[in-house]
Amino acid sequence: MSNQQLDQLRNDLDEVNVELLNLISKRGDLVKQIGQVKEQQGMNRFDPVRERAMLDRILENNEGPFENSTVVQLFKEIFKASLELQEDDHRKALLV
Amino acid sequence: MSNQQLDQLRNDLDEVNVELLNLISKRGDLVKQIGQVKEQQGMNRFDPVRERAMLDRILENNEGPFENSTVVQLFKEIFKASLELQEDDHRKALLV
C-alpha cells in the first residue's frame, strides 16, 4: 500500500474525528436538557440503573473491533464528562 | 416539561449512543488499517506529532458544550483504545 493510500486513510480518520466530536457534543446538549428537566422535577441527576440500561443497549449493538470492556470504558468516560456538564449547570442555577 | 418529553430525550440519547458506537467502531477499523500499512512499511505505530495534529483539528471544530480540555481527555482515551487495537494486531502478526 502506498503513502497516497496512507494519506487517504488519515483524511478519512480526520473526518471521522470531527463527526465524533459533533456527536459527542450533540450528546452533551441532550444530557444538559435532561439535567434541566430533572432539576425542575427535583430528580437525582445520576441514575445508575439508567446508566446500566444505556450500556446494555450499546453493547447489544457492538460488532467490534473493540471488545465490550473497551466500549464500556470509553462510554463511562463520556457519561462522566456529560454528568459534569449537568453539575456545572446545577452550580450556575444555585448562583442565580 | 413532562415525563413524556423526558422519555423522548432519553430515546434521542439512546440513538446518539448507538451512532457514537458505530463511529468509534469505524474509527477503530480505520486505525487498524493504518496500523497494517505502517507495519508493512516498518513505521512506528505511535506518532505523537500526528496525534497532536489530529487533536488540533478536532479542537478547531469544537463549538461546545464541552470544554477543550474535556474534548482532549475523551479523544485521548479513544486514541489509546485504538492504539491497543493496533498492538493486538501486531502481536497476532508476530505469532503467525
Side-chain angles (χ1 to χ4, degrees), chain A residues 1-3 6 9-10 12-14 16-21 23-34 37-38 40-41 43 47 50 54 57-58 61-62 64-66 70-71 73-75 77-78 80-82 85, chain B residues 1-3 6 9-10 12-14 16-21 23-34 37-38 40-41 43 47 50 54 57-58 61-62 64-66 70-71 73-75 77-78 80-82 85:
Chain A
M1 208 183 272
S2 67
N3 277 337
L6 187 59
L9 287 169
R10 284 177 160 170
D12 292 348
L13 195 60
D14 279 328
V16 169
N17 284 338
V18 173
E19 287 176 43
L20 259 177
L21 171 69
L23 215 43
I24 287 172
S25 302
K26 183 178 171 186
R27 191 184 190 286
D29 287 330
L30 278 171
V31 169
K32 273 168 75 96
Q33 288 180 57
I34 290 172
V37 179
K38 286 183 164 186
Q40 285 163 3
Q41 303 191 347
M43 292 162 75
D47 179 349
R50 166 76 184 141
M54 281 198 292
R57 199 162 300 188
I58 291 163
N61 287 278
N62 185 26
F66 291 107
T70 307
V71 171
Q73 194 185 326
L74 290 177
F75 272 89
E77 289 291 329
I78 295 170
K80 191 166 138 263
S82 308
L85 277 184
Chain B
M1 206 183 273
S2 67
N3 277 335
L6 188 59
L9 287 170
R10 284 176 160 170
D12 292 348
L13 195 61
D14 279 328
V16 169
N17 284 338
V18 173
E19 286 175 44
L20 260 178
L21 171 69
L23 215 44
I24 287 172
S25 302
K26 183 177 171 186
R27 190 184 190 286
D29 287 330
L30 278 171
V31 169
K32 275 168 75 98
Q33 288 180 56
I34 290 173
V37 179
K38 287 182 162 187
Q40 286 162 5
Q41 302 191 346
M43 292 162 76
D47 179 349
R50 166 78 184 139
M54 280 198 293
R57 198 161 303 187
I58 291 163
N61 286 278
N62 185 28
F66 292 107
T70 308
V71 170
Q73 194 185 326
L74 290 176
F75 272 89
E77 290 291 328
I78 295 169
K80 192 166 137 261
S82 309
L85 277 184

Side-chain angles (χ1 to χ4, degrees), chain B residues 81-95:
Chain B
S82 309
L83 204 62
E84 282 165 6
L85 277 184
Q86 287 186 345
E87 280 162 9
D88 287 346
D89 275 355
H90 178 64
R91 270 193 296 274
K92 280 177 200 150
L94 289 180
L95 289 172

